[in-house]
Amino acid sequence: MQLPPKVTERAFERLAEIGAADQGQALRVAVEGGGCSGFQYEIKLDTQKDDDLVLEGGGEKVLVDSISLPFLADAVIDFTEELIGARFVINNPNATSSCGCGTSFSM
């Protein structure tokens, strides 16, 4: 059985800070072919579509399309702030390797 991805409270708080829901938007996390490791994450603000899994918290939403869902099973969607910048990150237990920046991975 595949578990859906989880979203941290920090990620929902960041979405609230940028006013995603106020703009009628949600954070879309998708997996596409490409990148230096075979697959890459696409993270953007978007509107909900019919086949999306909707993860909700604090009045904010994170969307995952049905094609990306198996690649993100049991992953954790988080937000991090470091000296080099702030960004949404995905901790994916399905990835066997990833690039240095963490935006592409292989399975």
Side-chain angles (χ1 to χ4, degrees), residues 43-60:
I43 301 173
K44 65 180 183 179
L45 291 179
D46 199 4
T47 56
Q48 185 176 338
K49 297 184 176 44
D50 290 338
D51 73 334
D52 287 336
L53 169 69
V54 180
L55 305 164
E56 296 186 69
E60 301 294 331

Side-chain angles (χ1 to χ4, degrees), residues 14 52 60 87 94 101:
R14 179 60 179 154
D52 287 336
E60 301 294 331
R87 63 189 176 119
N94 306 301
C101 66

Side-chain angles (χ1 to χ4, degrees), residues 39-90:
F39 296 100
Q40 62 186 2
Y41 299 113
E42 179 182 14
I43 301 173
K44 65 180 183 179
L45 291 179
D46 199 4
T47 56
Q48 185 176 338
K49 297 184 176 44
D50 290 338
D51 73 334
D52 287 336
L53 169 69
V54 180
L55 305 164
E56 296 186 69
E60 301 294 331
K61 295 180 182 180
V62 173
L63 311 172
V64 180
D65 64 88
S66 60
I67 294 171
S68 300
L69 192 55
F71 297 100
L72 295 168
D74 207 26
V76 177
I77 301 161
D78 196 6
F79 182 78
T80 184
E81 292 184 79
E82 301 169 353
L83 289 176
I84 59 172
R87 63 189 176 119
F88 288 97
V89 295
I90 292 129

